Every structure is written in structure tokens, then in C-alpha cells.
Amino acid sequence: MKQIFFFLSVIVLLSACKNNGEYKKVMHDPILFSQTVHELNGIVMGNNFSPVVATRNYTYASIAAYEVVAAGNSKYHSLADQLRGLNTLPQPTDAQQTDFPFAALLAYCKVGSAVTFPEGSMDAYVDALKQKAKDAGMPSKIFDNSVNYADAVADAVLDWSKKDNYAQTRSASKFTVTQEEGRWVPTPPMYAQAVEPHWMEIRPMVMDSASQFRVPPPLEFNMKDTNSEYCKQVMLIKNAIENLTPEQEEIANFWDDNPFKLNVNGHVMFGTKKFSPTGHWQSIIGIAAQKANADFDETVYAYTKTSIAMFDAFIQCWDAKYTYNTARPETVINKYIDPNWRPLLQTPAFPEYTCGHSTVSSAAAEALTSVFGDNFSYKDTTELEFGLTSRSYPSFRAAAIENNWARFYGGIHYHSSCITATEYGRKVGDFVANKLRMKEGEDRVAPAADTTHYY
């Protein structure tokens, strides 16, 4: 009888180990986290959020997931007291009976769907995650503890997010358009109002203020003197667009990342959607993490660090945009040279200087370089779902430099603006990557090589 009882006990124990191993294999898969980010990315795209607002969704959601990971892995440090206004976060009541990757997924979804959306936009996806955990054999106690801990961290992050001045900027004054030469005015075909003119008032994550990395003034507007530096930049972009090579057009379209393009064909108008600039980089993070064979926790870490860098980079850039309020090339060329000239890409509805996409791309490149190292080659397959071919890069910094040219090839930014944006986005990314202490053993990131190749 004792032998039978012993063998039954062994069978039960082996079965339990098998179940534990099964649910961990399923729920701890780093690709599952990237799939969850992609799910939020699709929701953001579907709701036409501007690039800056989209970044807010990704960043707070990633922070919630990261805080859960940090609570379960001593290699990672909480961002409490590292990010502005973020204080002590909840700790698990029973760490031994909590599945932290599963909780991180749930926390990400709860925050991501609540930051700017009506709550519940990811409910169906969350239900599927929970069912996946149950089907994989997650014990009920661990399941319940994980759900409860995810809710606690998500609620704390959401409470913190509500103090970043976003709500106040919803009712702030609209941008006032003036007829002063060289100042921004709405552009065709939408002639939309200026997007988020108060975004520089959003609380930064790591920077001291929106103006900490204030860019120098743009070139002085001067279309009367054909030898002025400003006029030279205007003619440079006009001539470039009129003589684009197929490769240059491909580069511009690959990095277009227009969350809502208005297509006009006679009396017919319809919109097409793509991932925003930060949505594109969310995809790149996942591609890099998978190539690096990063585990679940490191994958969350990469998303979080990069998102924070882009969050602050957009605040820095919007401070520049609405400090100087410069006109777009399309506006200047139409008024002074050719009323029928159009850029390759649709001009976004905010001032020209500096370039937002170049700013956040160079900031993201610095953050990702700090995680995966320089000279990390990868193939960017992000645009396949939008009918574009993939492009390969020898490093994240190389991708950011190509993006620099892409905005010029698109006809929406002077190249001098892209150069400044890239340099200052890099400053923000370097600052965030080196100031945050997120992972044990992090070293200071070596600065990029010379910037002469920007030209």
C-alpha cells in the first residue's frame, strides 16, 4: 500500500511539474509580449491617434509591464523615483505564487487601453490571454494572484499618468495662425488645425523640462535673396523632389508612418492608416528582441527604455516646433515659386522645425543601442503589412540616419531641420539611456561617431 501511495505521489508531482512547465513555456514566451504590443499598435492606428498621443499609450503601458517584471526579477530596478512623479509602486503579496510575465501582459493591456481610450478596448484580447494561461495549466492560485497584482500595478501607473497634464491640454487654447511670413499655416489636402500645440506642457519622464535640450533657432526666413541659406534650402528640397530616384522614393515611403493620410481623387476622399513613427519603432524593438533571443524580461525592458526615450524626445521636439512655428516647404514653394508643387508625402499638420520623426528615431536608436549594442544588424519587416518591402540596416543608428534623409526625400522637411532633429533627438536618447538605471550591470553608452554622414 505504501509503495502504491508513493508511486501515485510521484505521478501527481510529475504531472504538476509538467503543468508548471507548460504554462510557463506558453506565457513566458517573449514573442507573446511583442504580439501584445502589436495588438495595442493596431488599436492606436485604428483610432487615428496623433504620433505624440500614440507614444503616450505605448510608454505608460510599457512602464506598467516593466514594473511587474522588476518586482519579480532582482536584475531589474524599479523606475520609482527615477521617473518624474513616480513614487513607490505596489509589491506582490505572495511573490512565490505570482506569475510575473503573465501579470506584466495584463498590466500592459490594462494601462494601454485606458490611457487615452475608453477602457475596455483590449478586453477581448485580455480574455484570450487569460484563457491561454488556464488552458496551459496555470494553477488557480497563481492565476488569481497574478491578475490581482497586475491590477494593482496598472492602477498605480494610471493614477500617476493622470498627473502628467494631458487632461488639462485637452481644453487648452488652439493654435493661432498668423499671416506673418515664414510662419506655419495649414497645408493641403486636409488643411487641418495644428496638432497638439501644448504637448511641450506634458510632464517629461526623465528630462528636467521640455526646453532642457532646446534647439538653436532655425534659419532666418528669407526668400528675397536667392543666395540666402534659407532660399538655398528651399531650392534644395524642391529640386530633390522633382528628381527623386526610385530608391529615394522607397526610403521616403518606408518611413512615411502617417497615421492618417487623406487621399483625394476628384470628388472622392478616403483615408488610409499606418503605424505612427513610434508605432514603427515599437515593431523594430520586437524584431530586435527576437533576433537577440532576448527573454521575456529583457524584451519588456527594451520596449520600456526605448518608449521612454521617444516620449521625452517628442516633448523636446514639440517645444521646438511651437517655439519657432516655421512654415512647411510646401507652403513656401507654393507661395513664392510654384503654386502647383506638391511633396511626395502628405505634409503633417504641425510646424516644420524640427523634424519629429528624425527626433524620435534618433532617440530610439540610442536607447536600443544601449540595450542590444551598436552594429546590431536587422531586417525591418514592419511595412510588409502595408504593402511595402522590408529594408535592412547594419545598426539602429544607421536606420535613424536613413530616416533623416527620408523626411527630406518626402518633401516635408528641409534637410537642415532633419540634421538638427537627429542631433538633438540623439542628445535626448543618450540622456535617457544613461540616466536611467534599469538593469543590473548597465554601462554608459558610448556616444555615436561623428555626424558628418548626416550631410
Side-chain angles (χ1 to χ4, degrees):
M1 181 65 71
K2 289 182 179 180
Q3 287 180 322
I4 295 174
F5 179 78
F6 173 77
F7 285 120
L8 286 174
S9 299
V10 170
I11 291 171
V12 170
L13 181 60
L14 289 174
S15 177
C17 291
K18 181 180 179 181
N19 287 338
N20 284 341
E22 180 64 24
Y23 86 75
K24 289 180 179 179
K25 180 180 178 181
V26 173
M27 304 311 298
H28 297 192
D29 185 349
I31 294 177
L32 181 57
F33 188 81
S34 292
Q35 290 172 346
T36 302
V37 174
H38 188 272
E39 181 72 16
L40 178 60
N41 215 350
I43 294 172
V44 168
M45 180 179 67
N47 283 272
N48 298 339
F49 284 118
S50 68
V52 291
V53 174
T55 304
R56 186 172 181 268
N57 288 82
Y58 305 130
T59 305
Y60 282 115
S62 295
I63 290 169
Y66 176 81
E67 286 302 322
V68 172
V69 163
N73 187 339
S74 60
K75 287 172 52 179
Y76 295 92
H77 307 306
S78 171
L79 290 166
D81 299 323
Q82 295 197 67
L83 303 182
R84 299 202 167 278
L86 184 63
N87 300 317
T88 304
L89 288 157
Q91 294 300 305
T93 56
D94 186 354
Q96 296 300 317
Q97 295 293 311
T98 299
D99 188 87
F100 292 97
F102 177 51
L105 289 165
L106 298 181
Y108 181 94
C109 292
K110 183 171 183 177
V111 173
S113 64
V115 176
T116 54
F117 301 93
E119 292 193 44
S121 59
M122 296 187 77
D123 280 358
Y125 184 79
V126 169
D127 288 343
L129 282 177
K130 290 179 177 179
Q131 190 60 51
K132 182 187 287 285
K134 291 178 179 178
D135 291 345
M138 182 178 289
S140 58
K141 185 175 182 180
I142 292 177
F143 180 93
D144 292 340
N145 285 345
S146 303
V147 171
N148 291 337
Y149 185 53
D151 285 341
V153 172
D155 289 344
V157 171
L158 285 172
D159 183 62
W160 169 59
S161 76
K162 293 174 183 176
K163 301 178 180 68
D164 72 353
N165 211 36
Y166 175 80
Q168 290 79 358
T169 60
R170 298 310 89 195
S171 57
S173 60
K174 294 180 180 179
F175 179 80
T176 301
V177 176
T178 69
Q179 297 305 311
E180 183 181 356
E181 284 190 329
R183 299 304 179 190
W184 182 85
V185 296
T187 52
M190 294 177 66
Y191 295 98
Q193 293 180 349
V195 172
E196 300 293 344
H198 296 276
W199 199 258
M200 74 292 293
E201 298 169 19
I202 298 295
R203 176 188 61 198
M205 295 276 176
V206 185
M207 293 190 306
D208 297 333
S209 67
S211 61
Q212 181 176 352
F213 296 98
R214 173 69 62 80
V215 298
L219 294 174
E220 181 180 358
F221 179 81
N222 185 351
M223 287 300 292
K224 295 178 181 179
D225 181 1
T226 57
N227 290 317
S228 70
E229 287 302 316
Y230 186 89
C231 194
K232 289 178 181 177
Q233 285 291 317
V234 172
M235 295 309 298
L236 184 67
I237 196 168
K238 177 180 181 296
N239 293 333
I241 300 310
E242 293 169 359
N243 297 281
L244 288 174
T245 66
E247 171 74 1
Q248 290 168 341
E249 285 193 26
E250 180 181 319
I251 290 171
N253 285 314
F254 185 83
W255 291 103
D256 180 17
D257 298 330
N258 188 344
F260 185 83
K261 177 183 177 183
L262 181 63
N263 302 275
V264 180
N265 186 3
H267 296 291
V268 178
M269 294 187 294
F270 63 96
T272 52
K273 303 176 182 181
K274 296 175 71 176
F275 293 150
S276 68
T278 43
H280 189 151
W281 279 96
Q282 295 294 308
S283 177
I284 293 172
I285 299 165
I287 291 167
Q290 186 171 356
K291 182 181 179 183
N293 199 28
D295 63 16
F296 188 98
D297 293 355
E298 187 174 23
T299 298
V300 174
Y301 159 65
Y303 275 105
T304 307
K305 193 173 193 179
T306 309
S307 295
I308 291 170
M310 290 191 287
F311 185 96
D312 274 12
F314 258 140
I315 292 174
Q316 181 275 339
C317 179
W318 251 240
D319 175 68
K321 283 186 179 294
Y322 288 99
T323 293
Y324 299 115
N325 299 324
T326 55
R328 289 281 181 170
E330 184 171 14
T331 299
V332 177
I333 294 172
N334 288 171
K335 182 176 180 179
Y336 295 94
I337 303 175
D338 180 358
N340 298 314
W341 186 90
R342 290 291 180 267
L344 175 67
L345 304 181
Q346 196 165 106
T347 300
F350 32 81
E352 189 272 335
Y353 183 80
T354 56
C355 174
H357 207 330
S358 292
T359 300
V360 298
S361 292
S362 54
E366 292 307 299
L368 280 168
T369 298
S370 76
V371 175
F372 297 115
D374 202 2
N375 300 316
F376 184 99
S377 62
Y378 67 97
K379 178 183 284 190
D380 185 352
T381 57
T382 302
E383 299 299 306
L384 288 176
E385 61 186 286
F386 303 110
L388 300 177
T389 57
S390 302
R391 293 186 66 80
S392 297
Y393 302 96
S395 69
F396 304 115
R397 287 166 171 164
I401 292 168
E402 182 179 273
N403 173 271
N404 173 301
W405 284 101
R407 309 315 273 175
F408 172 71
Y409 295 149
I412 57 179
H413 280 288
Y414 301 118
H415 196 237
S416 58
S417 297
C418 294
I419 292 168
T420 302
T422 300
E423 291 177 351
Y424 277 78
R426 175 174 283 178
K427 289 178 186 289
V428 175
D430 178 73
F431 178 75
V432 170
N434 287 304
K435 186 169 184 179
L436 292 180
R437 286 293 170 260
M438 297 177 67
K439 185 180 180 182
E440 204 68 46
E442 281 181 313
D443 295 322
R444 181 171 178 80
V445 183
D450 67 87
T451 60
T452 55
H453 50 305
Y454 289 171
Y455 299 84

